[in-house]
Amino acid sequence: MKGMILAIFFLLSGFGNVAASEPSTTESEPPQILNEDQGFWYAQGKEDLLRALNRQLNLNTAKNVIFFLGDGMGVSTVTAARIHAGQKLGELGEENYLSFEKFPNLGLLKTYNVDRQVADSAGSATSYLTGVKGRYGTLGLDVSAPFNVCRSDLGTKPNVDSVLKWAQDAGKATGFVTTTRVTHATPAGLYAHTANRDWECDSQVPLANRHQCKDIARQLIEDEPGRNIKIILGGGRQVFEAANDNGTTNWPCKRGDNMDLIEAWKVDKKNRDKSYLFLENRDGLLNTNLDDADFILGLFSINHIPYELDRVEDPKVGALAPGIEEMTEKAIRFLQKKSTNGFFLLVEGGRIDHAHHKNNALLALEETVAMHKAVAIAQRLTDNKDTLIVVTADHSHTFNINGYPVRGNKITGVGGVGDNGYNYTTLSYSSGPGFWKNVNNGTTDPHKPWLDASTLDVHNKTYRQLSQIPAYDAYHGGEDVAVYATGPMSHLFHGVHEQSYVAHVVGHAACMGPYASVCDVPKPEPQSAGVSTISSHFTILLMAFAVSITMCGQ
């Protein structure tokens, strides 16, 4: 033991000078690179090591759960957004961290559907929200329910409940925030059971089946657990309105049953003697006193909430739509006052996916940065002792960071010159409409098929990065996605798991759903991560670190 202590001491104290000199201000020689010598990296490594050795397991019960879902937010998206966020702050970018990248626990999730190698957002939502993997395109149903087939037993046998239903059964207040339509795949996974994710309103359900299979919007308003959700914030107002002739687009769908589901939501709350607020714009969300309402429904756009870079006045409402940060803060503050048993909140950054589908990398990165800020807000408003925060993605995208650009090169910029002599951008896609947008339409020369990136406005939000495979919408990526977690039982995210594992961790951490009885079993005393002697090892390392700093400063 004594020899081991001495070995650790000399190992740490011999790492060289850890003191950093004053940074240079020379633009041609970035100071961050000049100062990142051996001493810099050893000092950083020691700091990370000591933090890891002293990591404590949080074995508390999660009173609150906040689940952040970045739709299409694969690892390459997180990396690029991290750099983009840092560069917006005037940094080189690569050294930056997004808020959730500082979480102490993370793992990888396998995203495939039971019938598809590469997942869609509905089958994957079923997986991480119910703990049961489902088919491509279906919501809240297990594998026994085929896609796009309305069956008479859809209300019973194939149905699987979500973590939101578990939370309601446990007496928790529930809500969700999304930048998509509130009937879109991810939020619908909380409350709907449907054989086709596109059945958002009645006109999308096959006519012969409408008496058997209720559309997603009606399930949200009329059925459990949808009608008991305390706060709903997002887009998709048209899905709830009776069909009219005001020139509104037919997309996503117009109701053919002449039902006004917004009014039906209000009537339901009146009949239950509950107070409510219906919100249509950002001013209403930010300036109305939400505390007196039992239920809140905010539908801020006809379709999806506009992209962060596009949030201009809605032509119908005449006011700005709120962003994900504002909606998240309001939802948390509201739910914190609605139940002494805590709350469950889903927050979806849904338009990351939409931007990737169109090969608009800048829009996707801005959406990711906005979600990173929303996560930071959630951390600030809650206590890590009793709130589990999980951040993950439903699937990845065919989004690439490539070439050998120099450190600090603008992430949306030109990354180098290909073997064909043409400049290319650091960011590109394997599939999508960027194929056509980058074709040099004025030539038939097979050796010069692409436009030169250096001649294009590649930093513009409308620029579509080059893709390899032509597609109207870029395809999803099939690789594993990361899951980041902090708070009670977050250490259970620790390796490679099925995506369905997420719901099981959430249920276990909060003692709800199939894990409701977990709280009846005494929990072991909290320990540091690793072996039982970790605290003494940490003390030794800390002493060695202090001595090495002193020696290096002499």
Side-chain angles (χ1 to χ4, degrees):
M1 182 66 182
K2 183 176 180 181
M4 183 186 73
I5 295 174
L6 290 173
I8 294 174
F9 175 84
F10 286 113
L11 181 64
L12 288 175
S13 63
F15 276 167
N17 187 3
V18 297
S21 59
E22 288 298 315
S24 167
T25 57
T26 308
E27 292 184 0
S28 60
E29 296 179 336
Q32 294 92 331
I33 296 177
L34 284 179
N35 292 329
E36 292 178 355
D37 58 7
Q38 176 176 325
F40 171 87
W41 292 111
Y42 280 160
Q44 186 185 79
K46 289 178 185 178
E47 183 180 351
D48 283 351
L49 177 61
L50 292 174
R51 185 163 46 244
L53 287 168
N54 197 41
R55 184 169 63 94
Q56 300 290 318
L57 300 186
N58 186 337
L59 301 179
N60 297 336
T61 297
K63 179 181 179 181
N64 312 307
V65 177
I66 306 178
F67 192 127
F68 284 90
L69 193 285
D71 199 315
M73 191 183 72
V75 172
S76 59
T77 300
V78 174
T79 301
R82 169 203 309 154
I83 296 171
H84 180 63
Q87 292 178 343
K88 286 166 65 75
L89 297 173
E91 303 169 356
L92 291 173
E94 293 83 1
E95 71 287 351
N96 188 42
Y97 286 89
L98 299 179
S99 56
F100 50 88
E101 292 185 291
K102 288 288 191 178
F103 285 4
N105 301 292
L106 75 156
L108 292 174
L109 304 176
K110 298 188 287 183
T111 62
Y112 65 92
N113 300 142
V114 292
D115 58 344
R116 296 290 179 102
Q117 198 170 65
V118 178
D120 87 309
S121 294
S124 55
T126 300
S127 182
Y128 59 75
L129 291 175
T130 73
V132 176
K133 286 212 172 194
R135 292 183 184 272
Y136 178 95
T138 65
L139 283 164
L141 305 174
D142 69 15
V143 69
S144 66
F147 171 69
N148 204 39
V149 176
C150 178
R151 289 174 17 176
S152 59
D153 65 348
L154 279 185
T156 55
K157 183 181 177 182
N159 285 19
V160 285
D161 289 333
S162 75
V163 290
L164 181 135
K165 178 65 164 61
W166 301 353
Q168 289 183 0
D169 291 344
K172 297 183 184 297
T174 59
F176 70 83
V177 165
T178 180
T179 55
T180 69
R181 298 186 296 270
V182 298
T183 51
H184 208 241
T186 298
L190 292 169
Y191 59 83
H193 307 281
T194 179
N196 190 324
R197 58 175 285 181
D198 291 332
W199 294 351
E200 294 186 48
C201 72
D202 68 305
S203 63
Q204 297 293 82
V205 182
L207 183 60
N209 302 127
R210 291 177 191 172
H211 67 289
Q212 288 181 310
C213 293
K214 187 181 292 188
D215 64 78
I216 294 173
R218 282 188 63 193
Q219 290 187 53
L220 175 59
I221 300 302
E222 298 175 352
D223 299 347
E224 293 186 3
R227 66 192 292 261
N228 295 321
I229 299 174
K230 292 289 187 180
I231 185 166
I232 301 166
L233 303 178
R237 187 171 59 253
Q238 181 178 297
V239 181
F240 296 85
E241 297 176 329
N244 54 59
D245 297 318
N246 65 358
T248 302
T249 175
N250 285 323
W251 180 254
C253 58
K254 281 188 176 182
R255 302 206 64 82
D257 54 15
N258 205 35
M259 293 185 68
D260 185 336
L261 292 182
I262 296 173
E263 185 60 29
W265 178 84
K266 295 176 181 178
V267 170
D268 174 70
K269 305 306 175 271
K270 288 179 183 177
N271 291 341
R272 296 160 67 184
D273 197 26
K274 300 294 183 181
S275 58
Y276 62 86
L277 281 172
F278 174 65
L279 306 173
E280 294 186 88
N281 54 56
R282 180 174 179 267
D283 286 344
L285 178 67
L286 299 185
N287 300 324
T288 303
N289 183 3
L290 308 182
D291 295 345
D292 296 333
D294 295 314
F295 291 88
I296 295 174
L297 174 61
L299 299 175
F300 304 111
S301 182
I302 292 173
N303 200 341
H304 302 301
I305 299 291
Y307 290 115
E308 279 296 305
L309 296 180
D310 287 340
R311 280 197 293 126
V312 296
E313 289 193 359
D314 185 307
K316 182 176 180 179
V317 177
L320 288 174
I324 189 171
E325 301 166 57
E326 296 163 330
M327 292 190 288
T328 298
E329 179 168 0
K330 287 294 185 179
I332 293 174
R333 292 189 184 279
F334 176 77
L335 290 173
Q336 285 173 329
K337 300 179 180 180
K338 295 305 164 183
S339 173
T340 57
N341 293 324
F343 65 86
F344 172 88
L345 174 67
L346 172 77
V347 180
E348 183 200 18
R351 307 226 61 193
I352 301 169
D353 174 71
H354 297 166
H356 277 324
H357 274 301
K358 297 304 180 184
N359 292 163
N360 290 129
L362 178 59
L363 290 178
L365 299 187
E366 286 287 340
E367 294 297 306
T368 307
V369 171
M371 199 182 84
H372 130 78
K373 293 178 180 178
V375 174
I377 288 172
Q379 285 186 278
R380 175 170 54 84
L381 294 178
T382 58
D383 190 335
N384 190 61
K385 293 179 181 178
D386 66 4
T387 302
L388 172 65
I389 301 179
V390 179
V391 180
T392 190
D394 48 357
H395 56 76
S396 185
H397 260 277
T398 60
F399 178 60
N400 311 304
I401 306 172
N402 69 134
Y404 302 99
V406 298
R407 172 88 178 271
N409 190 61
K410 196 165 185 179
I411 191 64
T412 54
V414 173
V417 181
D419 290 345
N420 62 356
Y422 278 66
N423 287 275
Y424 60 84
T425 55
T426 301
L427 305 178
S428 65
Y429 291 85
S430 296
S431 64
F435 177 91
W436 291 293
K437 293 295 181 180
N438 285 276
V439 169
N440 191 349
N441 294 318
T443 181
T444 58
D445 185 346
H447 300 293
K448 296 183 178 180
W450 308 112
L451 295 174
D452 191 299
S454 65
T455 67
L456 306 173
D457 187 5
V458 296
H459 303 301
N460 193 292
K461 67 181 181 181
T462 63
Y463 176 71
R464 299 185 197 270
Q465 274 70 20
L466 176 66
S467 72
Q468 176 189 0
I469 302 170
Y472 176 75
D473 274 338
Y475 308 132
H476 291 171
E479 71 271 21
D480 297 350
V481 297
V483 54
Y484 311 82
T486 187
M489 295 295 170
S490 59
H491 61 279
L492 297 178
F493 293 108
H494 62 95
V496 180
H497 298 279
E498 296 288 354
Q499 193 171 41
S500 51
Y501 176 71
V502 175
H504 293 274
V505 173
V506 169
H508 183 275
C511 299
M512 60 189 193
Y515 301 93
S517 62
V518 170
C519 288
D520 299 332
V521 180
K523 294 182 180 180
E525 289 297 319
Q527 290 184 349
S528 300
V531 297
S532 59
T533 56
I534 195 70
S535 59
S536 60
H537 286 180
F538 175 76
T539 302
I540 295 167
L541 290 169
L542 187 61
M543 292 172 60
F545 181 57
V547 172
S548 67
I549 292 291
T550 303
M551 293 174 63
C552 292
Q554 292 178 349

Coordinates of all heavy atoms in Angstrom, one line a residue, residues 8-47:
I8 N 1.7 6.8 -6.9 CA 0.7 7.8 -7.3 C 1.3 9.2 -7.1 O 1.1 10.1 -7.9 CB -0.6 7.6 -6.5 CG1 -1.2 6.3 -6.9 CG2 -1.5 8.7 -6.8 CD1 -2.4 5.9 -6.0
F9 N 1.9 9.4 -5.9 CA 2.5 10.7 -5.6 C 3.5 11.2 -6.7 O 3.4 12.3 -7.2 CB 3.2 10.7 -4.2 CG 3.9 12.0 -3.9 CD1 3.2 13.0 -3.4 CD2 5.3 12.1 -4.2 CE1 3.8 14.2 -3.1 CE2 5.9 13.3 -3.9 CZ 5.2 14.3 -3.3
F10 N 4.4 10.3 -7.0 CA 5.5 10.7 -8.0 C 4.9 10.8 -9.4 O 5.3 11.6 -10.2 CB 6.6 9.7 -7.9 CG 7.5 9.9 -6.7 CD1 7.6 9.0 -5.7 CD2 8.2 11.1 -6.5 CE1 8.4 9.2 -4.6 CE2 9.0 11.3 -5.4 CZ 9.1 10.3 -4.4
L11 N 3.9 10.0 -9.7 CA 3.3 10.0 -11.0 C 2.6 11.4 -11.2 O 2.8 12.0 -12.3 CB 2.2 8.9 -11.1 CG 1.5 8.8 -12.4 CD1 2.4 8.4 -13.6 CD2 0.3 7.8 -12.4
L12 N 1.9 11.8 -10.2 CA 1.2 13.1 -10.3 C 2.1 14.3 -10.2 O 2.0 15.3 -10.9 CB 0.1 13.2 -9.3 CG -1.1 12.3 -9.6 CD1 -2.1 12.3 -8.4 CD2 -1.8 12.6 -10.9
S13 N 3.1 14.2 -9.3 CA 3.9 15.4 -9.1 C 5.0 15.5 -10.2 O 5.6 16.6 -10.3 CB 4.6 15.2 -7.7 OG 5.5 14.1 -7.7
G14 N 5.2 14.6 -11.0 CA 6.2 14.7 -12.0 C 5.7 15.0 -13.4 O 6.4 14.8 -14.4
F15 N 4.5 15.6 -13.5 CA 3.9 15.8 -14.8 C 4.4 17.1 -15.4 O 3.9 17.5 -16.4 CB 2.4 15.9 -14.6 CG 1.8 14.5 -14.7 CD1 0.4 14.4 -14.3 CD2 2.5 13.4 -15.1 CE1 -0.1 13.1 -14.4 CE2 1.9 12.2 -15.2 CZ 0.6 12.0 -14.8
G16 N 5.3 17.8 -14.8 CA 5.8 19.1 -15.4 C 5.1 20.3 -14.9 O 4.2 20.3 -14.1
N17 N 5.4 21.4 -15.5 CA 4.9 22.7 -15.1 C 3.4 22.8 -15.5 O 3.1 22.7 -16.7 CB 5.7 23.8 -15.8 CG 5.4 25.2 -15.3 OD1 4.5 25.3 -14.4 ND2 6.0 26.2 -15.9
V18 N 2.6 23.0 -14.5 CA 1.2 23.1 -14.8 C 0.7 24.6 -14.8 O -0.4 24.9 -15.1 CB 0.3 22.4 -13.7 CG1 0.6 20.9 -13.7 CG2 0.6 23.0 -12.3
A19 N 1.6 25.5 -14.5 CA 1.3 26.9 -14.5 C 1.2 27.4 -15.9 O 2.2 27.2 -16.7 CB 2.3 27.7 -13.7
A20 N 0.1 28.1 -16.3 CA 0.0 28.6 -17.7 C 0.4 30.0 -17.7 O 0.2 30.8 -16.8 CB -1.5 28.5 -18.1
S21 N 1.1 30.4 -18.8 CA 1.6 31.7 -19.0 C 0.4 32.6 -19.4 O -0.6 32.1 -19.8 CB 2.7 31.8 -20.0 OG 2.3 31.2 -21.2
E22 N 0.6 33.9 -19.4 CA -0.4 34.8 -19.9 C -0.7 34.6 -21.3 O 0.2 34.5 -22.1 CB 0.0 36.3 -19.6 CG 0.0 36.7 -18.2 CD -1.4 36.6 -17.6 OE1 -2.4 37.1 -18.2 OE2 -1.5 36.1 -16.5
P23 N -2.0 34.5 -21.8 CA -2.3 34.3 -23.2 C -1.8 35.4 -24.1 O -1.9 36.6 -23.7 CB -3.8 34.2 -23.2 CG -4.3 34.9 -22.0 CD -3.2 34.7 -20.9
S24 N -1.4 35.0 -25.2 CA -1.0 36.0 -26.3 C -2.3 36.6 -26.9 O -3.3 35.9 -27.0 CB -0.1 35.3 -27.3 OG 0.0 36.1 -28.4
T25 N -2.2 37.7 -27.5 CA -3.3 38.3 -28.2 C -3.1 38.4 -29.7 O -3.8 39.0 -30.4 CB -3.5 39.8 -27.7 OG1 -2.3 40.5 -27.9 CG2 -3.9 39.8 -26.2
T26 N -2.1 37.6 -30.1 CA -1.7 37.6 -31.6 C -2.8 36.8 -32.3 O -3.0 35.7 -32.0 CB -0.4 37.0 -31.8 OG1 0.6 37.6 -31.0 CG2 0.0 37.1 -33.3
E27 N -3.5 37.4 -33.3 CA -4.6 36.8 -34.0 C -4.0 35.6 -34.9 O -4.7 34.6 -35.1 CB -5.3 37.8 -34.9 CG -6.1 38.8 -34.1 CD -6.9 39.7 -35.0 OE1 -6.8 39.6 -36.2 OE2 -7.6 40.6 -34.4
S28 N -2.8 35.8 -35.5 CA -2.3 34.8 -36.4 C -1.8 33.5 -35.6 O -1.7 32.5 -36.2 CB -1.1 35.3 -37.1 OG -0.1 35.8 -36.3
E29 N -1.6 33.6 -34.3 CA -1.2 32.5 -33.5 C -2.2 32.4 -32.3 O -1.9 33.1 -31.3 CB 0.2 32.7 -33.0 CG 1.2 32.7 -34.2 CD 2.7 32.9 -33.7 OE1 2.8 33.4 -32.6 OE2 3.6 32.5 -34.4
P30 N -3.2 31.6 -32.4 CA -4.2 31.6 -31.4 C -3.6 31.3 -30.0 O -2.9 30.3 -29.9 CB -5.1 30.4 -31.8 CG -5.0 30.4 -33.3 CD -3.5 30.8 -33.6
P31 N -3.9 32.1 -29.0 CA -3.2 31.9 -27.7 C -3.6 30.6 -27.1 O -2.8 30.0 -26.4 CB -3.8 33.1 -26.9 CG -5.0 33.5 -27.6 CD -4.7 33.3 -29.0
Q32 N -4.8 30.1 -27.3 CA -5.2 28.8 -26.7 C -4.3 27.7 -27.2 O -4.0 26.8 -26.5 CB -6.7 28.5 -27.1 CG -7.7 29.5 -26.5 CD -8.0 30.6 -27.4 OE1 -7.2 31.0 -28.2 NE2 -9.2 31.2 -27.3
I33 N -3.9 27.7 -28.5 CA -3.1 26.7 -29.0 C -1.7 26.8 -28.5 O -1.0 25.8 -28.0 CB -3.1 26.7 -30.5 CG1 -4.5 26.4 -31.1 CG2 -2.1 25.7 -31.1 CD1 -4.6 26.5 -32.6
L34 N -1.1 28.0 -28.4 CA 0.2 28.3 -27.9 C 0.4 27.8 -26.5 O 1.5 27.3 -26.1 CB 0.6 29.8 -28.0 CG 0.9 30.3 -29.4 CD1 1.1 31.8 -29.3 CD2 2.1 29.6 -30.1
N35 N -0.6 27.9 -25.7 CA -0.5 27.6 -24.3 C -0.8 26.2 -23.9 O -0.8 25.8 -22.8 CB -1.3 28.6 -23.4 CG -0.8 30.0 -23.5 OD1 0.4 30.2 -23.6 ND2 -1.6 31.0 -23.4
E36 N -1.3 25.4 -24.9 CA -1.7 24.1 -24.6 C -0.6 23.1 -24.7 O -0.6 22.2 -25.5 CB -2.9 23.7 -25.5 CG -4.1 24.5 -25.2 CD -5.3 24.2 -26.1 OE1 -5.1 23.4 -27.1 OE2 -6.4 24.8 -25.9
D37 N 0.4 23.3 -23.9 CA 1.6 22.4 -23.9 C 1.4 21.3 -22.9 O 0.3 21.0 -22.4 CB 2.9 23.2 -23.5 CG 2.7 23.9 -22.2 OD1 1.7 23.6 -21.4 OD2 3.6 24.7 -21.8
Q38 N 2.4 20.5 -22.7 CA 2.4 19.4 -21.8 C 1.8 19.7 -20.5 O 0.9 19.0 -19.9 CB 3.7 18.7 -21.7 CG 3.8 17.5 -20.7 CD 5.2 16.9 -20.7 OE1 5.9 16.9 -21.7 NE2 5.6 16.4 -19.5
G39 N 2.3 20.8 -19.9 CA 1.8 21.2 -18.5 C 0.3 21.5 -18.5 O -0.4 21.1 -17.6
F40 N -0.2 22.1 -19.6 CA -1.6 22.4 -19.7 C -2.5 21.2 -19.7 O -3.4 21.1 -18.9 CB -1.9 23.2 -21.0 CG -3.3 23.4 -21.3 CD1 -4.0 24.5 -20.8 CD2 -4.0 22.5 -22.1 CE1 -5.3 24.7 -21.1 CE2 -5.4 22.7 -22.4 CZ -6.0 23.8 -21.9
W41 N -2.1 20.2 -20.5 CA -2.9 19.0 -20.6 C -2.8 18.1 -19.4 O -3.8 17.4 -19.0 CB -2.5 18.2 -21.9 CG -2.9 19.0 -23.1 CD1 -2.1 19.5 -24.0 CD2 -4.3 19.2 -23.5 NE1 -2.9 20.2 -25.0 CE2 -4.2 20.0 -24.7 CE3 -5.5 18.9 -23.0 CZ2 -5.3 20.4 -25.4 CZ3 -6.7 19.4 -23.7 CH2 -6.5 20.1 -24.9
Y42 N -1.6 18.1 -18.8 CA -1.5 17.3 -17.5 C -2.3 17.9 -16.4 O -2.9 17.2 -15.6 CB 0.0 17.2 -17.1 CG 0.8 16.1 -17.9 CD1 2.2 16.2 -17.9 CD2 0.2 15.1 -18.5 CE1 2.9 15.3 -18.6 CE2 0.9 14.1 -19.2 CZ 2.3 14.2 -19.3 OH 3.0 13.3 -19.9
A43 N -2.3 19.2 -16.3 CA -3.1 19.9 -15.3 C -4.6 19.6 -15.5 O -5.3 19.3 -14.6 CB -2.8 21.4 -15.3
Q44 N -5.0 19.7 -16.8 CA -6.4 19.4 -17.1 C -6.8 18.0 -16.8 O -7.8 17.7 -16.3 CB -6.7 19.8 -18.5 CG -8.2 19.7 -18.9 CD -8.5 19.9 -20.3 OE1 -8.3 19.0 -21.2 NE2 -8.9 21.1 -20.7
G45 N -5.9 17.1 -17.2 CA -6.1 15.7 -16.9 C -6.2 15.4 -15.4 O -7.1 14.6 -15.0
K46 N -5.4 16.0 -14.6 CA -5.4 15.8 -13.2 C -6.8 16.2 -12.6 O -7.4 15.6 -11.8 CB -4.3 16.5 -12.5 CG -2.9 16.0 -12.7 CD -1.9 16.9 -12.0 CE -0.5 16.5 -12.2 NZ 0.5 17.4 -11.6
E47 N -7.2 17.4 -13.1 CA -8.4 18.0 -12.6 C -9.6 17.0 -12.9 O -10.5 16.8 -12.1 CB -8.7 19.4 -13.2 CG -9.9 20.0 -12.7 CD -10.1 21.4 -13.4 OE1 -9.2 21.9 -14.0 OE2 -11.2 22.0 -13.2

